[in-house]
Amino acid sequence: MVGSPHEALHRIFQKDPALLTRALQRVLHVPFPEPREIAAMNVDLTEIEPVERRVDTLLRAETDEGTYLLVVESQGKADDRKRGSWPYYLSYLYEKYRCEPVLIVITQSSATARWASRPIRLGFPGWHSLTVRPLVLGPDNVPVITDERQAERDVPLAVLSAMTHGRGPQAAAILESLASALRTIDPDNAAVFVQFIDSCLTDPQAKQMWRDLMTAIQYFWRHPLAEQVREEGREQGLEEGRIETKAQMVLRILQWRGVQVPEGIRERVAACADLDQLEIWAQRAVHATDAAELFAEE
């Protein structure tokens, strides 16, 4: 079970290794050759000396142009110790496997992305013995996927969008479109993606909204996270609990997006016993700039 944003950010590429090369090509516009095969590798880079060094995720990509080692590092904040670790990782991997290593850093923070993208130069000015230039995936370049059809076309990329933009102003629309897209894929794969998102969302309101959305999706309930949601649903009481949860979600989305909710609208939403109507209002709440827009077409 994925237990932290750090783990989820890099393990998404273990779940779908091809997502990493798509991100390099489409997001960073790096002309990485199309792989024939991608496989996960042992992440332990410890030598005989008792110094433990592990990369987060290591993938081996076989292409027509050669074999590449894709080193994926999840980074929560700036850490100057990486100025020594990352060059070591790349040098060690090249020496051990005689394959070209490629460093990719993924982060949820724009500031961390700017820090990570700075070249690491070892040597003296004007004559650098070694230069490391990480490729960085973060909020400033990973696409914001708020369209349901776009999310359905590439669900793993939509998951990456939600993981990197989970604290941004468009998080509600991203999560809503992703929730719909998950209904179109295999339930077991969907359950894994659900857990990745749940682990990555650090904003309490975003996490609660995600769990509210997942309450309405039955097929992934074999997953441990779903079992937790199911137990909460039992305590609330079947249909009444689902209706109450959906009504709370409508109001929570508006509150989270900074939309003022007059007492009359709050009472109308809370009094609604039609689950389908509440679902319509929830979808409108994702884009509404005024609470009255919930009822615009009624």
Side-chain angles (χ1 to χ4, degrees), residues 251 261-272 281 291-292 294-295:
L251 298 174
V261 183
E263 189 61 30
I265 291 179
R266 187 180 300 275
E267 292 176 355
R268 180 174 175 180
V269 172
C272 181
W281 290 347
L294 295 181
F295 321 120

Side-chain angles (χ1 to χ4, degrees), residues 279-292:
E279 175 63 29
I280 292 173
W281 290 347
Q283 293 175 8
R284 292 177 184 171
V286 171
H287 304 285
T289 56
D290 186 289

Side-chain angles (χ1 to χ4, degrees), residues 10 13-18 20-21 38-41 43 55 57-61 68-72:
H10 68 86
F13 298 114
Q14 296 177 16
K15 173 62 180 173
D16 184 356
L20 186 55
T21 58
I38 301 182
M41 300 179 65
V43 299
V55 297
T57 287
L58 180 61
L59 304 173
R60 185 186 186 107
Y68 295 89
L69 300 177
L70 305 178
V71 184
V72 184

